[in-house]
């Protein structure tokens, strides 16, 4: 089978995407470590819990939403439990299932970290783009996700389950863009 090499336009697009994929995580991580004492993954995990109903998710669901393996997620949750930001407990319905819940201290950490994180996302990702380019970015990301995530494992990121009304208004004020 013959290799279908990238043409100049495809190569230019690919290399720029690779550069963004390589540089953006470090920018996000550096800001959060400096200003909030959290890694980007820790913040991302806390943000997913903050947006869930009752700030609670099954560990398997949280792993899907953060694209983490269960061992990696367990390690991070254990570390955040030690800081009082998250707690784990067996599901009352099925003791084989572990539930992760954001504590009040965890909620406070997300609320405190969100403004700096959003400012960083705006400064490095959204502000350089026109509104039309933001729409194009959404369409491009959707096309790539259709191939990269055909089963929709990470759909919870951009189409989260409905939140309970009690936590929805508070969560809206702290909603993080990840």
């Amino acid at each position: 089978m013959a290799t279908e090499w990238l043409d100049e336009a495809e190569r230019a697009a690919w290399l720029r995407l690779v550069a963004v994929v390589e540089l953006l995580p470090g920018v996000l991580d550096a800001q959060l470590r400096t200003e909030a004492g959290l890694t980007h993954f820790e913040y991302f995990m806390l943000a997913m819990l903050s947006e869930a109903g009752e700030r609670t998710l099954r560990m398997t669901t949280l792993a899907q939403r953060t694209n983490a393996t269960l061992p990696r997620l367990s390690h991070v949750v254990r570390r955040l439990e030690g800081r009082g930001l998250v707690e784990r407990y067996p599901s009352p319905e099925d003791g084989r299932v572990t539930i992760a819940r954001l504590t009040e201290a965890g909620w406070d950490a997300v609320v405190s970290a969100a403004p700096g994180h959003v400012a960083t996302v705006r400064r490095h990702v959204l502000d350089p783009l026109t509104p039309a380019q933001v729409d194009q970015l959404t369409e491009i990301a959707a096309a790539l996700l259709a191939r990269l995530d055909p089963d929709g494992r990470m759909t919870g990121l951009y189409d989260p389950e409905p939140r309970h009304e009690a936590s929805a208004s508070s969560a809206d004020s702290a909603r993080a863009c990840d």
Side-chain angles (χ1 to χ4, degrees):
M1 185 164 126
T3 300
E4 188 178 344
W5 297 106
L6 303 180
D7 65 27
E8 284 304 310
E10 292 168 333
R11 184 175 182 279
W14 169 245
L15 291 175
R16 282 163 178 78
L17 177 60
V18 168
V20 168
V21 168
E22 290 296 324
L23 293 170
L24 186 57
V27 168
L28 298 174
D29 204 57
Q31 177 273 321
L32 284 163
R33 283 179 185 270
T34 300
E35 294 180 18
L38 297 167
T39 66
H40 182 256
F41 183 77
E42 290 168 341
Y43 173 78
F44 184 39
M45 192 205 73
L46 294 173
M48 292 298 99
L49 285 171
S50 78
E51 294 180 358
E54 299 178 23
R55 302 179 193 156
T56 301
L57 288 172
R58 289 174 166 229
M59 288 286 286
T60 54
T61 303
L62 186 56
Q64 282 184 312
R65 292 202 182 164
T66 58
N67 196 35
T69 63
L70 280 173
R72 177 185 185 207
L73 184 64
S74 289
H75 175 74
V76 172
V77 168
R78 184 174 28 259
R79 192 169 59 235
L80 293 176
E81 274 182 307
R83 294 171 58 185
L85 304 179
V86 177
E87 65 181 8
R88 284 185 289 189
Y89 56 90
S91 168
E93 293 85 32
D94 183 351
R96 298 171 297 174
V97 173
T98 301
I99 304 294
R101 187 180 77 76
L102 189 66
T103 64
E104 283 303 314
W107 173 256
D108 292 344
V110 170
V111 169
S112 176
H117 177 65
V118 171
T120 300
V121 169
R122 284 196 170 284
R123 182 172 46 257
H124 294 284
V125 178
L126 300 172
D127 288 348
L129 304 177
T130 66
Q133 288 173 319
V134 171
D135 291 342
Q136 291 169 344
L137 180 60
T138 301
E139 291 176 27
I140 291 165
L144 294 175
L145 286 167
R147 291 281 177 101
L148 295 170
D149 188 19
D151 299 328
R153 290 182 337 107
M154 292 191 69
T155 302
L157 284 177
Y158 46 88
D159 189 16
E161 68 189 20
R163 291 172 280 149
H164 291 67
E165 281 303 311
S167 62
S169 61
S170 298
D172 287 340
S173 65
R175 181 164 213 121
C177 71
D178 294 293

